[in-house]
């Protein structure tokens, strides 16, 4: 499958490989070292994103493989209007949502219109837990709770939160990756963050009671 | 907790809070939010805990390494196994 562009001997240029960001011209010229570096750099974030969206290790692995296979196949036609990283996230998000739909046909699509005129749900949990000590906020149990709270978000909110707040994409990059408007990114991000804040507040309020007892 | 002012103001500001904690709003809008928070303990708590929520996620969710067997199968599928070995020894 990949033979047509395997034009550099394995291992020959590893020491000279470019650091991030990847060189699009090298990638498009079939530089295997550059592509291997791209895979090495982004396989972690792509796998993490896929796993958090689809929730199953096997599906996440399939998404990971398909992402890089599709990236490789389409490199020649990639115009570079977004960064290579954003482009990879776009492919991965699409693949992950396809996997999610296969497993859960009722699941929504990434571009589903969820913005409603009713505005955001009002915060319910009004407890100031910011004063908890760092070791409490960042305990292994708390970290587990933080991680699980993401899973309760609807997929269309979760993917925006993951790209923006976990992977560190800008609002614009997130919009490019998901092919939605920046306004939609902002709305979904707000909704995701507010929902997470509710869950964390519920959890940390209990910790606060213990702390103050 | 006391909360005696008109609640519709809190509702209006809610839509801006995410951008506020990102520091992405104009100064004039920040001034409005901060003035409101000075009078509304409830909104101040929501903003503080929202900001802390984002900070915690950004600070604590690590990049888990791809499991070794998953990584090996990926490089194999992409016919990059030789490069993977070279990277590991690099």
């Amino acid at each position: 499958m990949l033979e047509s562009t395997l034009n550099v001997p394995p291992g020959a240029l590893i020491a000279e490989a470019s650091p991030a960001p990847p060189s699009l011209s090298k990638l498009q010229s079939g530089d295997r070292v550059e592509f291997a570096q791209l895979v090495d750099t982004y396989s972690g974030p792509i796998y993490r994103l896929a796993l958090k969206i689809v929730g199953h290790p096997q599906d996440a692995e399939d998404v990971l493989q398909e992402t890089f296979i599709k990236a490789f196949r389409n490199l020649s036609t990639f115009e570079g209007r977004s960064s290579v990283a954003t482009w990879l996230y776009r492919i991965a998000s699409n693949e992950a949502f396809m996997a999610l739909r296969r497993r859960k046909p009722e699941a929504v699509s990434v571009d589903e219109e969820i913005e409603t005129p009713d505005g955001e749900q009002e915060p319910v949990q009004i407890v100031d837990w910011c004063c908890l000590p760092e070791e409490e906020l960042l305990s292994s149990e708390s970290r587990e709770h933080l991680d699980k709270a993401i899973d309760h978000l609807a997929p269309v909110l979760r993917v925006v939160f993951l790209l923006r707040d976990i992977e560190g994409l800008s609002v614009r990059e997130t919009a490019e990756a998901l092919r939605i408007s920046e306004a939609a990114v902002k709305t979904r991000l707000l909704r995701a963050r507010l929902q997470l804040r509710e869950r964390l507040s519920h959890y940390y309020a209990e910790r606060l009671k213990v702390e103050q007892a | 907790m006391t909360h005696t002012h008109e609640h519709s103001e809190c509702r209006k500001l809610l839509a801006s809070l995410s951008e506020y904690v990102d520091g992405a709003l104009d100064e004039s809008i920040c001034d409005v939010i901060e003035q409101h928070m000075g009078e509304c303990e409830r909104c101040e708590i929501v903003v503080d805990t929202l900001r802390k929520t984002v900070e915690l996620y950004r600070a604590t969710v690590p990049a888990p390494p791809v499991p070794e067997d998953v990584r090996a199968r990926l490089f194999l599928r992409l016919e990059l196994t030789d490069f993977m070995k070279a990277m590991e020894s690099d």
Side-chain angles (χ1 to χ4, degrees):
Chain A
M1 177 194 65
L2 306 178
E3 291 299 328
S4 62
T5 53
L6 304 187
N7 55 6
V8 180
L13 297 174
I14 283 291
E16 298 170 25
S18 301
S23 162
L24 182 56
S25 60
K26 282 187 179 179
L27 287 168
Q28 290 184 321
S29 70
D31 187 326
R32 289 185 69 204
V33 174
E34 193 70 10
F35 188 69
Q37 289 286 356
L38 183 78
V39 174
D40 196 47
T41 302
Y42 289 102
S43 53
I46 296 293
Y47 182 73
R48 175 173 55 186
L49 177 74
L51 193 56
K52 291 302 284 179
I53 294 176
V54 300
H56 293 267
Q58 184 56 58
D59 285 353
E61 182 174 349
D62 291 345
V63 169
L64 177 68
Q65 292 190 2
E66 287 304 313
T67 296
F68 284 106
I69 286 170
K70 288 196 172 168
F72 188 85
R73 284 178 180 158
N74 294 302
L75 264 172
S76 60
T77 55
F78 175 55
E79 294 175 355
R81 282 195 287 244
S82 65
S83 70
V84 174
T86 302
W87 181 59
L88 284 177
Y89 283 124
R90 181 189 304 162
I91 299 171
S93 300
N94 284 338
E95 289 296 319
F97 269 82
M98 282 197 289
L100 195 61
R101 276 195 292 273
R102 280 195 294 272
R103 195 173 280 274
K104 297 177 183 173
E106 75 280 7
V108 293
S109 68
V110 71
D111 54 357
E112 179 177 335
E113 192 59 53
I114 62 157
E115 285 68 42
T116 67
D118 300 331
E120 304 306 325
Q121 185 179 350
E122 269 189 54
V124 176
Q125 298 284 338
I126 309 296
V127 179
D128 188 357
W129 44 267
C130 297
C131 56
L132 276 167
E134 287 288 298
E135 57 265 31
E136 186 70 61
L137 291 170
L138 301 174
S139 69
S140 56
E141 185 190 310
S142 297
R143 286 168 189 258
E144 195 176 330
H145 190 84
L146 284 161
D147 193 45
K148 283 184 178 167
I150 299 175
D151 300 337
H152 290 277
L153 296 172
V156 289
L157 301 183
R158 200 185 315 152
V159 69
V160 169
F161 178 76
L162 291 168
L163 289 176
R164 176 77 182 97
D165 281 341
I166 304 299
E167 302 305 333
L169 271 64
S170 67
V171 169
R172 183 178 161 191
E173 289 167 335
T174 305
E176 286 173 353
L178 299 177
R179 291 184 191 263
I180 58 176
S181 68
E182 290 188 33
V185 169
K186 290 175 184 175
T187 302
R188 295 177 193 194
L189 183 64
L190 169 69
R191 197 162 294 180
R193 286 172 168 181
L194 286 172
Q195 288 182 18
L196 291 170
R197 191 206 71 87
E198 288 291 323
R199 286 193 175 274
L200 264 55
S201 294
H202 183 75
Y203 171 77
Y204 284 126
E206 293 301 314
R207 308 265 68 79
L208 198 59
K209 280 183 197 166
V210 173
E211 185 82 13
Q212 292 172 344
Chain B
M1 183 176 303
T2 56
H3 193 249
T4 55
H5 62 270
E6 183 53 51
H7 201 51
S8 62
E9 186 69 14
C10 309
R11 207 184 301 255
K12 271 193 281 182
L13 293 178
L14 190 60
S16 304
L17 295 190
S18 186
E19 287 181 88
Y20 175 71
V21 300
D22 280 343
L25 290 179
D26 288 343
E27 199 174 322
S28 58
I29 303 174
C30 292
D31 289 344
V32 172
I33 293 173
E34 282 156 17
Q35 187 180 347
H36 176 79
M37 284 195 297
E39 302 160 355
C40 177
E41 188 183 4
R42 180 189 171 92
C43 283
E44 188 177 19
I45 290 172
V46 170
V47 169
D48 287 347
T49 50
L50 186 66
R51 182 183 286 117
K52 198 72 179 177
T53 296
V54 175
E55 284 174 4
L56 284 174
Y57 274 107
R58 289 184 174 173
T60 62
V61 177
V66 179
E68 203 49 50
D69 56 332
V70 173
R71 186 172 185 270
R73 286 192 291 271
L74 173 65
F75 275 75
L76 182 66
R77 181 96 191 267
L78 298 169
E79 300 175 14
L80 293 170
T81 306
D82 291 337
F83 292 100
M84 184 179 77
K85 288 173 184 165
M87 284 173 179
E88 285 167 353
S89 61
D90 190 33

